[in-house]
Amino acid sequence: MRGKWMFTGLLLCLALMLLPAAAGRAALLPQPDAESLKEDALQVAEDMQTGNFAAVTEKFNAEMAAALDEDTLKSGWDSAVAILGDFLETISAESYEQGAYVVVDILEHYENNGMKLHIVYDGEGKIAGMQITYADVEEYEEETQSEDGAAAYTEEEVTVTADERVPLGGTLTLPVDVEKPPVVILVHGSGSSDRDENINGNKPFADIAHGLAARGIAVLRYDKRYYVYPDCPDVGSAEMVTLREESLDDVDAAIKLMQEDARVDGSHIFVLGHSLGGCLCPAIAAEHPQLTGIISMAGSLRPLWEISYDQNQEVIAAAEAGNLTEEQQAQLAEAAEQVEADTKILREDLDNQPDDGMLLGIPARYWKSIKEYCGMNFINEVKMPVLVLQGDADFQVYPEKDYALWQEALGGRDNVVFHLYEGLNHLMMPTQGKRDITEYAVKSHVDTQVIDDIAEFIMDVVK
């Protein structure tokens, strides 16, 4: 789960950010030449690759130097690159002006993925900000052919429109030589996400769409509303969002679109939700009893604040086990105290909380919708077939709690199928053994057994 608001609450443990791009007062001196700063940034990248972090910190401005010392920079860099394998080459370096600053973005190719180094220079040519993110550097490999070498599927653009002011681009993936196949609608996790659910070049929704289409099943995936329209000025800002605006209204529109599309079997529509989308599957099923089945992939029946609380407890424990300064210990204790206080409020009656009040860094308005659409409120209403999938290496949604709760709620039914996969993470891809966002640094694919199991479930239901 990821998004505009970090669901790790007040602890920014899952971010790869070494320091946000610094704001501050405009520079009084003329900016150095952008081309020379690009050359300097390339040298910074080389210095960090070779371990010369002292040379890098010497270029920091006063604010940056106060926020990030040499040891912390080294620790952050080493953690970020540890999983990437050998450095191969620098792909590109681009510079551009951003207000009073010059920004340089460097894309580097490593053995297992790419990395983007984002460096911000102030008007005196000093480094005012630095950020590291993983990035895709190669064309994504797709399952485009059947065993005999022929095309396995075709893809066509569609538009999902819940509100005329915010139409969403989508892709309908259709199997070749299958007339009116059953169709699966993919529902995203939290936060802004494209139709592929792209994270660091990993594209689980593209994998699932192509894999199922190659097995005779159509798939609809679409860009999430706040990915395309991050502010949505005509329909309320992101701070006004609830689960209806974030996801459910667009799911309604996607279902209607597939019911009316002559290329698929509108009487056999499945919804597959990932992460938050999996959490919403019971509510979606209750609102749309005409669906043929639902599939929860790494979802939960618990309210989201409980998952956030568990994530925070794990982060706090890991931080306490490290070598913290007294100042850092104090900051951690303060953050942990705030997590406890906010979670206590969330567990109680939210009706008296103002909609714009912040809890775990998220407006109470959103948390109220989380409470309203919690899966446990609807699961007893769901009579259609259900498939529950999770990896045992998932560190964002907890198998011992969340997968077990699905089994407790639905284990006695003969139209429910469960699969817990050894060694798969939250993206249903092979784990790298990490329990933070570096888990997703290496490009991978949804495990083929997962796709086989989804296809088998669907075909068993529709036969």
Side-chain angles (χ1 to χ4, degrees), residues 60-73:
F60 287 176
N61 68 9
E63 292 85 356
M64 185 74 169
L68 187 64
D69 61 25
E70 179 182 342
D71 289 342
T72 305
L73 175 62

Side-chain angles (χ1 to χ4, degrees), residues 40 43-44 47 54-61 121 125-128:
D40 185 79
Q43 183 61 51
V44 167
D47 286 338
V56 177
T57 56
E58 286 176 0
K59 299 178 180 181
F60 287 176
N61 68 9
Y121 288 91
K126 295 289 189 179
I127 295 176

Side-chain angles (χ1 to χ4, degrees), residues 79-376:
S79 176
V81 302
I83 202 168
L84 292 178
D86 293 337
F87 172 74
L88 300 179
E89 60 179 332
T90 297
I91 300 294
S92 63
E94 298 179 358
S95 61
Y96 55 94
E97 293 185 6
Q98 192 173 68
Y101 299 91
V102 172
V103 179
V104 182
D105 288 331
I106 299 173
L107 182 61
E108 298 182 327
H109 190 186
Y110 285 77
E111 182 180 6
N112 296 324
N113 206 347
M115 173 186 283
K116 185 169 80 171
L117 182 59
H118 179 86
I119 303 176
V120 181
Y121 288 91
D122 66 14
E124 298 180 2
K126 295 289 189 179
I127 295 176
M130 184 181 294
Q131 184 180 11
I132 295 170
T133 55
Y134 300 122
D136 193 11
V137 296
E138 295 180 320
E139 289 296 318
Y140 200 66
E141 298 175 8
E142 299 179 351
E143 186 178 358
T144 58
Q145 295 183 333
S146 59
E147 291 182 1
D148 62 3
Y153 58 82
T154 61
E155 295 198 306
E156 300 187 24
E157 285 292 304
V158 297
T159 303
V160 175
T161 309
D163 186 315
E164 294 294 341
R165 295 168 294 182
V166 286
L168 303 175
T171 300
L172 180 60
T173 308
L174 295 161
V176 172
D177 297 329
V178 178
E179 185 176 351
K180 297 184 77 67
V183 61
V184 180
I185 297 169
L186 304 184
V187 181
H188 314 77
S190 59
S192 61
S193 179
D194 68 8
R195 68 192 69 181
D196 295 334
E197 264 204 337
N198 188 346
I199 175 169
N200 301 332
N202 294 299
K203 302 178 182 180
F205 276 11
D207 281 355
I208 292 169
H210 300 158
L212 291 182
R215 292 159 176 81
I217 300 163
V219 179
L220 171 65
R221 65 193 195 275
Y222 53 92
D223 295 324
K224 202 170 180 185
R225 183 181 298 197
Y226 287 92
Y227 172 80
V228 183
Y229 308 98
D231 295 319
C232 288
D234 294 332
V235 292
S237 69
E239 282 65 34
M240 300 290 290
V241 72
T242 70
L243 285 174
R244 290 238 64 96
E245 294 84 12
E246 183 184 8
S247 185
L248 291 171
D249 288 348
D250 296 320
V251 173
D252 294 348
I255 292 171
K256 185 174 186 294
L257 182 66
M258 290 298 94
Q259 288 172 331
E260 298 173 350
D261 196 310
R263 294 169 292 185
V264 301
D265 183 352
S267 67
H268 283 134
I269 299 175
F270 295 78
V271 167
L272 184 156
H274 176 231
S275 196
L276 175 63
C279 299
L280 292 175
C281 275
I284 294 168
E287 291 186 354
H288 299 276
Q290 76 276 20
L291 290 172
T292 306
I294 55 173
I295 302 165
S296 172
M297 189 171 80
S300 176
L301 295 173
R302 293 192 295 159
L304 204 57
W305 60 75
E306 295 296 344
I307 299 170
S308 176
Y309 180 80
D310 288 344
Q311 290 177 350
N312 273 303
Q313 296 311 300
E314 183 172 356
V315 171
I316 291 167
E320 288 176 341
N323 296 318
L324 301 179
T325 65
E326 289 187 7
E327 182 181 1
Q328 290 171 329
Q329 289 174 350
Q331 291 173 343
L332 180 64
E334 182 181 355
E337 184 176 328
Q338 189 67 56
V339 168
E340 293 289 342
D342 286 0
T343 304
K344 183 176 185 295
I345 294 172
L346 288 165
R347 288 170 174 167
E348 298 171 352
D349 189 356
L350 287 172
D351 292 343
N352 294 327
Q353 294 296 318
D355 284 352
D356 58 356
M358 302 297 283
L359 296 166
L360 296 180
I362 300 173
R365 176 185 295 103
Y366 186 82
W367 289 120
K368 290 177 183 180
S369 72
I370 289 288
K371 182 176 182 179
E372 179 181 358
Y373 293 106
C374 177
M376 286 302 292

Side-chain angles (χ1 to χ4, degrees), residues 369-410:
S369 72
I370 289 288
K371 182 176 182 179
E372 179 181 358
Y373 293 106
C374 177
M376 286 302 292
N377 297 340
F378 301 94
I379 195 62
N380 291 333
E381 300 177 35
V382 178
K383 306 304 180 185
M384 64 186 64
V386 179
L387 174 62
V388 179
L389 309 170
Q390 190 163 5
D392 72 357
D394 191 337
F395 72 90
Q396 293 184 258
V397 176
Y398 294 81
E400 67 276 11
K401 291 185 178 181
D402 299 298
Y403 183 78
L405 187 56
W406 285 103
Q407 291 180 308
E408 180 182 336
L410 298 174

